Short mmCIF file of all heavy atoms in Angstrom, two decimals:
data_model
loop_
_atom_site.label_atom_id
_atom_site.label_comp_id
_atom_site.label_asym_id
_atom_site.label_seq_id
_atom_site.Cartn_x
_atom_site.Cartn_y
_atom_site.Cartn_z
N MET A 1 80.49 48.59 -13.52
CA MET A 1 79.18 47.95 -13.51
C MET A 1 78.09 49.03 -13.51
O MET A 1 78.10 49.93 -12.67
CB MET A 1 79.06 47.05 -12.29
CG MET A 1 77.78 46.32 -12.20
SD MET A 1 77.84 45.23 -10.76
CE MET A 1 76.68 44.04 -11.24
N VAL A 2 77.16 48.93 -14.43
CA VAL A 2 76.07 49.90 -14.55
C VAL A 2 74.92 49.45 -13.66
O VAL A 2 74.51 48.28 -13.71
CB VAL A 2 75.60 49.99 -16.03
CG1 VAL A 2 74.43 50.93 -16.16
CG2 VAL A 2 76.75 50.41 -16.92
N PRO A 3 74.39 50.35 -12.83
CA PRO A 3 73.26 49.95 -11.99
C PRO A 3 72.02 49.64 -12.82
O PRO A 3 71.82 50.22 -13.89
CB PRO A 3 73.02 51.17 -11.09
CG PRO A 3 73.80 52.29 -11.67
CD PRO A 3 74.78 51.73 -12.63
N ALA A 4 71.23 48.71 -12.33
CA ALA A 4 70.01 48.33 -13.03
C ALA A 4 69.02 49.50 -13.01
O ALA A 4 68.97 50.27 -12.06
CB ALA A 4 69.38 47.11 -12.36
N LYS A 5 68.30 49.64 -14.10
CA LYS A 5 67.27 50.65 -14.19
C LYS A 5 65.97 50.04 -13.66
O LYS A 5 65.63 48.91 -13.99
CB LYS A 5 67.08 51.10 -15.64
CG LYS A 5 66.05 52.17 -15.80
CD LYS A 5 65.92 52.60 -17.26
CE LYS A 5 64.82 53.63 -17.38
NZ LYS A 5 64.55 53.97 -18.77
N VAL A 6 65.27 50.80 -12.85
CA VAL A 6 64.01 50.32 -12.27
C VAL A 6 62.86 50.90 -13.09
O VAL A 6 62.79 52.10 -13.34
CB VAL A 6 63.87 50.77 -10.80
CG1 VAL A 6 62.53 50.35 -10.24
CG2 VAL A 6 65.00 50.20 -9.96
N VAL A 7 61.98 50.03 -13.52
CA VAL A 7 60.79 50.43 -14.26
C VAL A 7 59.57 49.98 -13.46
O VAL A 7 59.47 48.81 -13.10
CB VAL A 7 60.76 49.80 -15.68
CG1 VAL A 7 59.48 50.17 -16.42
CG2 VAL A 7 61.98 50.20 -16.47
N ILE A 8 58.68 50.93 -13.16
CA ILE A 8 57.46 50.60 -12.44
C ILE A 8 56.32 50.58 -13.44
O ILE A 8 56.03 51.58 -14.09
CB ILE A 8 57.15 51.65 -11.33
CG1 ILE A 8 58.33 51.82 -10.38
CG2 ILE A 8 55.86 51.28 -10.59
CD1 ILE A 8 58.62 50.66 -9.49
N ARG A 9 55.68 49.45 -13.57
CA ARG A 9 54.49 49.32 -14.43
C ARG A 9 53.27 49.22 -13.53
O ARG A 9 53.38 48.86 -12.36
CB ARG A 9 54.61 48.08 -15.30
CG ARG A 9 55.82 48.17 -16.19
CD ARG A 9 55.59 47.55 -17.50
NE ARG A 9 56.78 47.84 -18.33
CZ ARG A 9 57.22 47.05 -19.25
NH1 ARG A 9 56.59 45.93 -19.51
NH2 ARG A 9 58.28 47.38 -19.95
N ASN A 10 52.11 49.53 -14.09
CA ASN A 10 50.91 49.46 -13.27
C ASN A 10 49.71 49.03 -14.08
O ASN A 10 49.72 49.05 -15.31
CB ASN A 10 50.65 50.82 -12.60
CG ASN A 10 50.26 51.88 -13.58
OD1 ASN A 10 49.15 51.91 -14.08
ND2 ASN A 10 51.20 52.79 -13.90
N GLN A 11 48.68 48.64 -13.36
CA GLN A 11 47.42 48.17 -13.94
C GLN A 11 46.28 49.14 -13.66
O GLN A 11 45.11 48.77 -13.69
CB GLN A 11 47.07 46.79 -13.35
CG GLN A 11 48.13 45.74 -13.57
CD GLN A 11 48.43 45.52 -15.03
OE1 GLN A 11 47.52 45.41 -15.84
NE2 GLN A 11 49.70 45.49 -15.38
N ILE A 12 46.61 50.39 -13.38
CA ILE A 12 45.59 51.34 -12.94
C ILE A 12 44.49 51.53 -13.98
O ILE A 12 43.31 51.50 -13.65
CB ILE A 12 46.22 52.70 -12.56
CG1 ILE A 12 47.13 52.53 -11.35
CG2 ILE A 12 45.13 53.74 -12.26
CD1 ILE A 12 47.93 53.77 -10.99
N ARG A 13 44.86 51.72 -15.23
CA ARG A 13 43.83 51.96 -16.26
C ARG A 13 42.85 50.78 -16.32
O ARG A 13 41.64 50.97 -16.33
CB ARG A 13 44.48 52.19 -17.62
CG ARG A 13 43.44 52.55 -18.67
CD ARG A 13 44.10 53.15 -19.90
NE ARG A 13 43.08 53.75 -20.73
CZ ARG A 13 42.82 53.35 -21.96
NH1 ARG A 13 43.51 52.37 -22.51
NH2 ARG A 13 41.88 53.94 -22.66
N ALA A 14 43.37 49.57 -16.36
CA ALA A 14 42.51 48.39 -16.42
C ALA A 14 41.63 48.30 -15.17
O ALA A 14 40.42 48.01 -15.27
CB ALA A 14 43.35 47.12 -16.56
N LEU A 15 42.21 48.58 -14.01
CA LEU A 15 41.43 48.51 -12.77
C LEU A 15 40.35 49.59 -12.71
O LEU A 15 39.26 49.35 -12.21
CB LEU A 15 42.37 48.63 -11.56
CG LEU A 15 43.27 47.42 -11.34
CD1 LEU A 15 44.36 47.75 -10.34
CD2 LEU A 15 42.46 46.21 -10.89
N ARG A 16 40.65 50.77 -13.25
CA ARG A 16 39.63 51.83 -13.29
C ARG A 16 38.43 51.39 -14.12
O ARG A 16 37.29 51.57 -13.73
CB ARG A 16 40.21 53.13 -13.88
CG ARG A 16 41.09 53.90 -12.96
CD ARG A 16 41.38 55.32 -13.43
NE ARG A 16 41.95 55.45 -14.76
CZ ARG A 16 41.29 55.85 -15.84
NH1 ARG A 16 40.02 56.19 -15.77
NH2 ARG A 16 41.91 55.95 -17.02
N PHE A 17 38.70 50.78 -15.27
CA PHE A 17 37.61 50.35 -16.13
C PHE A 17 36.85 49.15 -15.56
O PHE A 17 35.64 49.05 -15.74
CB PHE A 17 38.11 50.11 -17.56
CG PHE A 17 38.30 51.40 -18.29
CD1 PHE A 17 39.54 52.02 -18.30
CD2 PHE A 17 37.24 52.04 -18.92
CE1 PHE A 17 39.73 53.24 -18.93
CE2 PHE A 17 37.41 53.26 -19.56
CZ PHE A 17 38.66 53.86 -19.57
N GLU A 18 37.55 48.28 -14.85
CA GLU A 18 36.88 47.17 -14.17
C GLU A 18 36.02 47.66 -13.02
O GLU A 18 35.12 46.96 -12.58
CB GLU A 18 37.91 46.17 -13.63
CG GLU A 18 38.61 45.37 -14.70
CD GLU A 18 39.75 44.53 -14.15
OE1 GLU A 18 39.87 44.38 -12.91
OE2 GLU A 18 40.54 44.03 -14.97
N SER A 19 36.29 48.86 -12.54
CA SER A 19 35.55 49.44 -11.42
C SER A 19 34.50 50.42 -11.92
O SER A 19 34.35 51.53 -11.40
CB SER A 19 36.52 50.16 -10.48
OG SER A 19 37.41 49.25 -9.91
N GLY A 20 33.78 50.03 -12.93
CA GLY A 20 32.69 50.87 -13.42
C GLY A 20 33.16 52.09 -14.18
O GLY A 20 32.52 53.14 -14.13
N GLU A 21 34.28 51.95 -14.90
CA GLU A 21 34.85 53.05 -15.68
C GLU A 21 35.11 54.29 -14.83
O GLU A 21 34.78 55.42 -15.21
CB GLU A 21 33.98 53.35 -16.90
CG GLU A 21 33.90 52.16 -17.83
CD GLU A 21 33.31 52.47 -19.19
OE1 GLU A 21 33.33 53.64 -19.60
OE2 GLU A 21 32.84 51.53 -19.82
N MET A 22 35.74 54.07 -13.68
CA MET A 22 36.15 55.16 -12.80
C MET A 22 37.05 56.12 -13.58
O MET A 22 37.93 55.69 -14.31
CB MET A 22 36.93 54.57 -11.61
CG MET A 22 37.46 55.60 -10.64
SD MET A 22 38.57 54.87 -9.39
CE MET A 22 37.46 53.78 -8.53
N THR A 23 36.82 57.41 -13.44
CA THR A 23 37.65 58.39 -14.13
C THR A 23 38.95 58.62 -13.35
O THR A 23 39.04 58.29 -12.16
CB THR A 23 36.93 59.74 -14.28
OG1 THR A 23 36.74 60.31 -12.98
CG2 THR A 23 35.60 59.58 -15.00
N GLN A 24 39.91 59.21 -14.02
CA GLN A 24 41.14 59.59 -13.33
C GLN A 24 40.83 60.58 -12.22
O GLN A 24 41.44 60.51 -11.15
CB GLN A 24 42.14 60.20 -14.32
CG GLN A 24 42.74 59.19 -15.26
CD GLN A 24 43.73 59.81 -16.22
OE1 GLN A 24 43.75 61.01 -16.43
NE2 GLN A 24 44.57 58.96 -16.81
N GLN A 25 39.88 61.48 -12.45
CA GLN A 25 39.51 62.45 -11.42
C GLN A 25 38.90 61.76 -10.21
O GLN A 25 39.19 62.12 -9.06
CB GLN A 25 38.55 63.50 -11.97
CG GLN A 25 38.26 64.62 -10.98
CD GLN A 25 39.51 65.42 -10.63
OE1 GLN A 25 40.12 66.00 -11.52
NE2 GLN A 25 39.88 65.47 -9.36
N ASP A 26 38.04 60.76 -10.43
CA ASP A 26 37.45 60.00 -9.32
C ASP A 26 38.54 59.36 -8.47
O ASP A 26 38.51 59.43 -7.24
CB ASP A 26 36.50 58.91 -9.83
CG ASP A 26 35.24 59.44 -10.47
OD1 ASP A 26 34.83 60.58 -10.17
OD2 ASP A 26 34.66 58.70 -11.29
N LEU A 27 39.50 58.72 -9.14
CA LEU A 27 40.59 58.08 -8.41
C LEU A 27 41.42 59.12 -7.68
O LEU A 27 41.76 58.94 -6.50
CB LEU A 27 41.47 57.27 -9.36
CG LEU A 27 42.66 56.56 -8.73
CD1 LEU A 27 42.24 55.62 -7.60
CD2 LEU A 27 43.47 55.81 -9.80
N ALA A 28 41.73 60.21 -8.35
CA ALA A 28 42.52 61.28 -7.72
C ALA A 28 41.85 61.78 -6.45
O ALA A 28 42.51 61.97 -5.42
CB ALA A 28 42.72 62.43 -8.71
N ASP A 29 40.54 62.01 -6.51
CA ASP A 29 39.80 62.48 -5.35
C ASP A 29 39.87 61.48 -4.20
O ASP A 29 40.00 61.86 -3.03
CB ASP A 29 38.33 62.74 -5.70
CG ASP A 29 38.15 63.93 -6.64
OD1 ASP A 29 39.08 64.75 -6.78
OD2 ASP A 29 37.05 64.02 -7.23
N ARG A 30 39.82 60.20 -4.52
CA ARG A 30 39.83 59.17 -3.49
C ARG A 30 41.20 58.97 -2.85
O ARG A 30 41.29 58.55 -1.69
CB ARG A 30 39.32 57.84 -4.06
CG ARG A 30 37.83 57.96 -4.42
CD ARG A 30 37.26 56.70 -4.97
NE ARG A 30 37.16 55.68 -3.92
CZ ARG A 30 36.67 54.47 -4.12
NH1 ARG A 30 36.20 54.12 -5.29
NH2 ARG A 30 36.62 53.60 -3.13
N ILE A 31 42.27 59.28 -3.59
CA ILE A 31 43.61 59.07 -3.02
C ILE A 31 44.30 60.37 -2.62
O ILE A 31 45.41 60.34 -2.10
CB ILE A 31 44.51 58.23 -3.96
CG1 ILE A 31 44.77 58.95 -5.29
CG2 ILE A 31 43.91 56.84 -4.18
CD1 ILE A 31 45.77 58.26 -6.18
N GLY A 32 43.66 61.50 -2.88
CA GLY A 32 44.19 62.77 -2.41
C GLY A 32 45.30 63.37 -3.24
O GLY A 32 46.21 64.02 -2.70
N VAL A 33 45.25 63.15 -4.56
CA VAL A 33 46.23 63.77 -5.46
C VAL A 33 45.47 64.42 -6.61
O VAL A 33 44.25 64.30 -6.71
CB VAL A 33 47.25 62.73 -6.01
CG1 VAL A 33 48.04 62.09 -4.88
CG2 VAL A 33 46.58 61.67 -6.86
N SER A 34 46.19 65.09 -7.50
CA SER A 34 45.54 65.71 -8.65
C SER A 34 45.29 64.68 -9.77
O SER A 34 45.93 63.62 -9.81
CB SER A 34 46.41 66.84 -9.21
OG SER A 34 47.57 66.31 -9.80
N ARG A 35 44.38 65.04 -10.67
CA ARG A 35 44.12 64.18 -11.82
C ARG A 35 45.38 64.05 -12.67
O ARG A 35 45.68 62.99 -13.22
CB ARG A 35 42.97 64.75 -12.68
CG ARG A 35 42.61 63.80 -13.83
CD ARG A 35 41.92 64.51 -14.97
NE ARG A 35 42.70 65.59 -15.56
CZ ARG A 35 43.71 65.43 -16.43
NH1 ARG A 35 44.10 64.23 -16.79
NH2 ARG A 35 44.34 66.49 -16.91
N GLN A 36 46.16 65.13 -12.75
CA GLN A 36 47.39 65.10 -13.52
C GLN A 36 48.39 64.10 -12.94
O GLN A 36 49.12 63.44 -13.68
CB GLN A 36 48.02 66.51 -13.59
CG GLN A 36 47.22 67.48 -14.41
CD GLN A 36 46.10 68.19 -13.64
OE1 GLN A 36 45.77 67.82 -12.51
NE2 GLN A 36 45.50 69.19 -14.25
N THR A 37 48.41 63.99 -11.62
CA THR A 37 49.30 63.02 -10.98
C THR A 37 48.86 61.60 -11.32
O THR A 37 49.69 60.75 -11.65
CB THR A 37 49.34 63.23 -9.45
OG1 THR A 37 49.86 64.53 -9.18
CG2 THR A 37 50.18 62.18 -8.75
N VAL A 38 47.56 61.34 -11.25
CA VAL A 38 47.05 60.01 -11.62
C VAL A 38 47.41 59.71 -13.07
O VAL A 38 47.87 58.62 -13.40
CB VAL A 38 45.53 59.89 -11.39
CG1 VAL A 38 44.97 58.62 -12.02
CG2 VAL A 38 45.21 59.94 -9.91
N ASN A 39 47.24 60.69 -13.95
CA ASN A 39 47.57 60.52 -15.37
C ASN A 39 49.05 60.17 -15.54
O ASN A 39 49.39 59.27 -16.31
CB ASN A 39 47.20 61.79 -16.14
CG ASN A 39 47.51 61.66 -17.61
OD1 ASN A 39 48.62 61.96 -18.03
ND2 ASN A 39 46.53 61.23 -18.37
N ALA A 40 49.92 60.88 -14.84
CA ALA A 40 51.36 60.63 -14.95
C ALA A 40 51.74 59.26 -14.40
O ALA A 40 52.57 58.56 -15.00
CB ALA A 40 52.14 61.73 -14.22
N ILE A 41 51.14 58.86 -13.29
CA ILE A 41 51.43 57.53 -12.73
C ILE A 41 50.93 56.46 -13.68
O ILE A 41 51.65 55.51 -14.00
CB ILE A 41 50.78 57.37 -11.33
CG1 ILE A 41 51.43 58.32 -10.32
CG2 ILE A 41 50.89 55.92 -10.86
CD1 ILE A 41 50.68 58.42 -9.00
N GLU A 42 49.69 56.60 -14.13
CA GLU A 42 49.08 55.62 -15.02
C GLU A 42 49.88 55.48 -16.31
O GLU A 42 50.04 54.38 -16.84
CB GLU A 42 47.65 56.07 -15.32
CG GLU A 42 46.81 55.06 -16.04
CD GLU A 42 45.38 55.51 -16.18
OE1 GLU A 42 44.68 55.67 -15.15
OE2 GLU A 42 44.94 55.72 -17.33
N GLY A 43 50.41 56.59 -16.82
CA GLY A 43 51.17 56.57 -18.06
C GLY A 43 52.63 56.18 -17.89
O GLY A 43 53.39 56.16 -18.86
N GLY A 44 53.04 55.87 -16.67
CA GLY A 44 54.41 55.45 -16.42
C GLY A 44 55.43 56.58 -16.46
O GLY A 44 56.63 56.34 -16.53
N LYS A 45 54.96 57.82 -16.40
CA LYS A 45 55.87 58.97 -16.44
C LYS A 45 56.35 59.36 -15.05
O LYS A 45 57.26 60.17 -14.92
CB LYS A 45 55.17 60.16 -17.09
CG LYS A 45 54.79 59.91 -18.52
CD LYS A 45 53.96 61.04 -19.07
CE LYS A 45 53.43 60.63 -20.43
NZ LYS A 45 52.12 61.17 -20.68
N TYR A 46 55.70 58.81 -14.03
CA TYR A 46 55.99 59.19 -12.65
C TYR A 46 55.75 57.98 -11.76
O TYR A 46 54.74 57.29 -11.90
CB TYR A 46 55.05 60.35 -12.26
CG TYR A 46 55.10 60.76 -10.81
CD1 TYR A 46 56.17 61.48 -10.31
CD2 TYR A 46 54.05 60.44 -9.96
CE1 TYR A 46 56.20 61.86 -8.97
CE2 TYR A 46 54.07 60.82 -8.63
CZ TYR A 46 55.15 61.53 -8.15
OH TYR A 46 55.18 61.90 -6.83
N SER A 47 56.67 57.70 -10.86
CA SER A 47 56.48 56.62 -9.90
C SER A 47 55.88 57.20 -8.63
O SER A 47 56.40 58.18 -8.08
CB SER A 47 57.82 55.96 -9.57
OG SER A 47 58.34 55.32 -10.70
N PRO A 48 54.81 56.60 -8.15
CA PRO A 48 54.16 57.15 -6.95
C PRO A 48 54.98 56.91 -5.70
O PRO A 48 55.81 56.00 -5.65
CB PRO A 48 52.85 56.37 -6.89
CG PRO A 48 53.18 55.05 -7.49
CD PRO A 48 54.16 55.38 -8.61
N SER A 49 54.72 57.73 -4.69
CA SER A 49 55.30 57.45 -3.38
C SER A 49 54.69 56.15 -2.88
O SER A 49 53.65 55.70 -3.37
CB SER A 49 54.98 58.59 -2.41
OG SER A 49 53.58 58.60 -2.12
N LEU A 50 55.33 55.57 -1.90
CA LEU A 50 54.81 54.33 -1.33
C LEU A 50 53.41 54.55 -0.75
O LEU A 50 52.51 53.73 -0.92
CB LEU A 50 55.78 53.83 -0.25
CG LEU A 50 55.56 52.42 0.26
CD1 LEU A 50 55.51 51.40 -0.87
CD2 LEU A 50 56.66 52.06 1.24
N GLU A 51 53.22 55.69 -0.10
CA GLU A 51 51.92 56.01 0.49
C GLU A 51 50.83 56.07 -0.59
O GLU A 51 49.75 55.49 -0.43
CB GLU A 51 52.00 57.34 1.22
CG GLU A 51 50.70 57.75 1.88
CD GLU A 51 50.80 59.08 2.61
OE1 GLU A 51 51.92 59.58 2.84
OE2 GLU A 51 49.75 59.63 2.94
N VAL A 52 51.11 56.76 -1.69
CA VAL A 52 50.12 56.87 -2.77
C VAL A 52 49.88 55.50 -3.40
O VAL A 52 48.74 55.14 -3.70
CB VAL A 52 50.56 57.91 -3.82
CG1 VAL A 52 49.70 57.85 -5.07
CG2 VAL A 52 50.52 59.31 -3.21
N ALA A 53 50.92 54.71 -3.58
CA ALA A 53 50.76 53.38 -4.15
C ALA A 53 49.84 52.52 -3.29
O ALA A 53 48.94 51.84 -3.81
CB ALA A 53 52.12 52.70 -4.31
N PHE A 54 50.02 52.58 -1.97
CA PHE A 54 49.15 51.82 -1.08
C PHE A 54 47.71 52.33 -1.15
O PHE A 54 46.76 51.55 -1.10
CB PHE A 54 49.66 51.86 0.36
CG PHE A 54 50.68 50.80 0.65
CD1 PHE A 54 52.01 51.13 0.84
CD2 PHE A 54 50.31 49.46 0.74
CE1 PHE A 54 52.96 50.15 1.12
CE2 PHE A 54 51.24 48.47 1.02
CZ PHE A 54 52.57 48.82 1.20
N ARG A 55 47.53 53.64 -1.26
CA ARG A 55 46.17 54.20 -1.36
C ARG A 55 45.48 53.71 -2.64
O ARG A 55 44.30 53.36 -2.61
CB ARG A 55 46.22 55.72 -1.37
CG ARG A 55 46.51 56.34 -0.04
CD ARG A 55 46.43 57.85 -0.17
NE ARG A 55 47.01 58.50 0.97
CZ ARG A 55 47.34 59.78 0.99
NH1 ARG A 55 47.15 60.54 -0.08
NH2 ARG A 55 47.87 60.31 2.07
N VAL A 56 46.22 53.69 -3.74
CA VAL A 56 45.65 53.20 -5.00
C VAL A 56 45.22 51.75 -4.85
O VAL A 56 44.10 51.37 -5.21
CB VAL A 56 46.66 53.36 -6.17
CG1 VAL A 56 46.15 52.66 -7.42
CG2 VAL A 56 46.93 54.82 -6.45
N ALA A 57 46.09 50.92 -4.31
CA ALA A 57 45.77 49.51 -4.12
C ALA A 57 44.54 49.35 -3.23
O ALA A 57 43.68 48.49 -3.49
CB ALA A 57 46.97 48.77 -3.54
N GLN A 58 44.45 50.17 -2.20
CA GLN A 58 43.31 50.08 -1.28
C GLN A 58 42.00 50.44 -1.98
O GLN A 58 40.99 49.79 -1.75
CB GLN A 58 43.55 51.00 -0.09
CG GLN A 58 42.52 50.87 1.01
CD GLN A 58 42.88 51.73 2.21
OE1 GLN A 58 43.40 52.83 2.07
NE2 GLN A 58 42.61 51.22 3.40
N VAL A 59 42.02 51.45 -2.83
CA VAL A 59 40.81 51.84 -3.56
C VAL A 59 40.27 50.66 -4.36
O VAL A 59 39.06 50.43 -4.41
CB VAL A 59 41.09 53.04 -4.50
CG1 VAL A 59 39.98 53.23 -5.52
CG2 VAL A 59 41.28 54.32 -3.69
N PHE A 60 41.16 49.90 -4.98
CA PHE A 60 40.73 48.78 -5.81
C PHE A 60 40.64 47.46 -5.04
O PHE A 60 40.32 46.43 -5.62
CB PHE A 60 41.67 48.63 -7.01
CG PHE A 60 41.64 49.82 -7.93
CD1 PHE A 60 42.75 50.63 -8.08
CD2 PHE A 60 40.48 50.15 -8.62
CE1 PHE A 60 42.73 51.73 -8.92
CE2 PHE A 60 40.44 51.24 -9.46
CZ PHE A 60 41.56 52.05 -9.62
N ASP A 61 40.92 47.52 -3.73
CA ASP A 61 40.88 46.33 -2.87
C ASP A 61 41.76 45.21 -3.44
O ASP A 61 41.35 44.06 -3.55
CB ASP A 61 39.44 45.85 -2.68
CG ASP A 61 39.30 44.86 -1.53
OD1 ASP A 61 40.10 44.94 -0.58
OD2 ASP A 61 38.38 44.01 -1.58
N LYS A 62 42.97 45.62 -3.82
CA LYS A 62 43.94 44.68 -4.40
C LYS A 62 45.24 44.77 -3.63
O LYS A 62 45.56 45.82 -3.06
CB LYS A 62 44.24 45.05 -5.86
CG LYS A 62 43.06 45.04 -6.79
CD LYS A 62 42.71 43.65 -7.20
CE LYS A 62 41.60 43.66 -8.24
NZ LYS A 62 41.10 42.34 -8.48
N PRO A 63 46.03 43.69 -3.61
CA PRO A 63 47.37 43.80 -3.03
C PRO A 63 48.24 44.70 -3.91
O PRO A 63 48.01 44.83 -5.12
CB PRO A 63 47.89 42.36 -3.02
CG PRO A 63 47.02 41.60 -3.96
CD PRO A 63 45.74 42.35 -4.10
N LEU A 64 49.21 45.33 -3.31
CA LEU A 64 50.09 46.25 -4.01
C LEU A 64 50.67 45.63 -5.28
O LEU A 64 50.73 46.26 -6.34
CB LEU A 64 51.21 46.70 -3.07
CG LEU A 64 52.02 47.90 -3.48
CD1 LEU A 64 51.16 49.15 -3.60
CD2 LEU A 64 53.13 48.13 -2.48
N GLU A 65 51.06 44.36 -5.20
CA GLU A 65 51.68 43.68 -6.34
C GLU A 65 50.71 43.47 -7.50
O GLU A 65 51.14 43.24 -8.63
CB GLU A 65 52.21 42.29 -5.98
CG GLU A 65 53.00 42.10 -4.74
CD GLU A 65 52.21 42.16 -3.45
OE1 GLU A 65 51.22 41.44 -3.26
OE2 GLU A 65 52.62 42.95 -2.60
N ALA A 66 49.41 43.50 -7.24
CA ALA A 66 48.43 43.36 -8.32
C ALA A 66 48.24 44.67 -9.08
O ALA A 66 47.75 44.66 -10.20
CB ALA A 66 47.10 42.88 -7.74
N VAL A 67 48.64 45.76 -8.46
CA VAL A 67 48.49 47.08 -9.09
C VAL A 67 49.81 47.55 -9.71
O VAL A 67 49.83 48.07 -10.82
CB VAL A 67 47.98 48.13 -8.07
CG1 VAL A 67 47.80 49.48 -8.75
CG2 VAL A 67 46.69 47.67 -7.41
N PHE A 68 50.91 47.35 -8.99
CA PHE A 68 52.22 47.83 -9.44
C PHE A 68 53.20 46.66 -9.57
O PHE A 68 53.21 45.78 -8.73
CB PHE A 68 52.78 48.84 -8.44
CG PHE A 68 51.97 50.09 -8.34
CD1 PHE A 68 51.02 50.23 -7.33
CD2 PHE A 68 52.12 51.13 -9.25
CE1 PHE A 68 50.25 51.37 -7.22
CE2 PHE A 68 51.36 52.28 -9.16
CZ PHE A 68 50.42 52.41 -8.14
N GLN A 69 54.00 46.71 -10.63
CA GLN A 69 55.04 45.72 -10.83
C GLN A 69 56.36 46.46 -11.02
O GLN A 69 56.43 47.42 -11.77
CB GLN A 69 54.78 44.86 -12.07
CG GLN A 69 53.49 44.04 -12.02
CD GLN A 69 52.26 44.86 -12.33
OE1 GLN A 69 52.24 45.65 -13.26
NE2 GLN A 69 51.22 44.68 -11.54
N CYS A 70 57.38 45.99 -10.33
CA CYS A 70 58.71 46.59 -10.42
C CYS A 70 59.59 45.68 -11.25
O CYS A 70 59.77 44.51 -10.93
CB CYS A 70 59.29 46.75 -9.01
SG CYS A 70 60.93 47.48 -9.00
N LEU A 71 60.13 46.25 -12.34
CA LEU A 71 61.01 45.49 -13.22
C LEU A 71 62.40 46.11 -13.19
O LEU A 71 62.55 47.32 -13.22
CB LEU A 71 60.46 45.53 -14.66
CG LEU A 71 59.01 45.09 -14.83
CD1 LEU A 71 58.51 45.46 -16.20
CD2 LEU A 71 58.89 43.61 -14.58
N MET A 72 63.41 45.28 -13.15
CA MET A 72 64.79 45.73 -13.17
C MET A 72 65.36 45.40 -14.54
O MET A 72 65.26 44.26 -15.00
CB MET A 72 65.61 45.03 -12.10
CG MET A 72 65.03 45.20 -10.71
SD MET A 72 65.21 46.87 -10.14
CE MET A 72 66.31 46.61 -8.80
N THR A 73 65.94 46.40 -15.20
CA THR A 73 66.54 46.17 -16.51
C THR A 73 68.02 46.53 -16.44
O THR A 73 68.44 47.28 -15.58
CB THR A 73 65.85 47.02 -17.59
OG1 THR A 73 66.02 48.40 -17.27
CG2 THR A 73 64.39 46.70 -17.69
N GLU A 74 68.78 46.02 -17.36
CA GLU A 74 70.22 46.30 -17.39
C GLU A 74 70.51 47.46 -18.30
O GLU A 74 69.83 47.83 -19.16
CB GLU A 74 70.98 45.08 -17.84
CG GLU A 74 70.89 43.99 -16.80
CD GLU A 74 71.75 42.79 -17.19
OE1 GLU A 74 72.80 42.98 -17.82
OE2 GLU A 74 71.38 41.69 -16.84
#
């Protein structure tokens, strides 16, 4: 049996633009990571730690599930 692959999707780009076109650098400064980290998370190349995920959700005043979605694939 092959374990399911976990894919984390996010709404960060849409939320940044809904928040007055917040830049990746603005978000990075608010959550305490580099702009490159925000870029990698937003692009789906990197899954954030739970702590960073909660910080992102808090910045946008959204529940975690509104920002990140976890999909299981076979």
Side-chain angles (χ1 to χ4, degrees):
M1 182 177 204
V2 177
K5 181 178 177 187
V6 176
V7 177
I8 305 291
R9 299 215 174 149
N10 69 75
Q11 302 301 315
I12 296 173
R13 185 164 193 242
L15 290 167
R16 284 193 305 105
F17 282 93
E18 289 173 12
S19 296
E21 298 192 23
M22 178 188 297
T23 66
Q24 288 180 342
Q25 186 63 59
D26 292 336
L27 179 57
D29 292 343
R30 293 181 70 178
I31 63 173
V33 299
S34 69
R35 184 203 58 79
Q36 291 86 349
T37 298
V38 169
N39 180 272
I41 294 169
E42 190 174 295
K45 297 173 189 146
Y46 173 74
S47 295
S49 68
L50 192 53
E51 181 180 346
V52 169
F54 274 109
R55 286 184 194 165
V56 171
Q58 187 176 37
V59 165
F60 296 114
D61 195 28
K62 300 281 185 189
L64 195 61
E65 314 73 54
V67 182
F68 296 96
Q69 298 79 45
C70 180
L71 306 167
M72 304 290 245
T73 61
E74 293 185 33

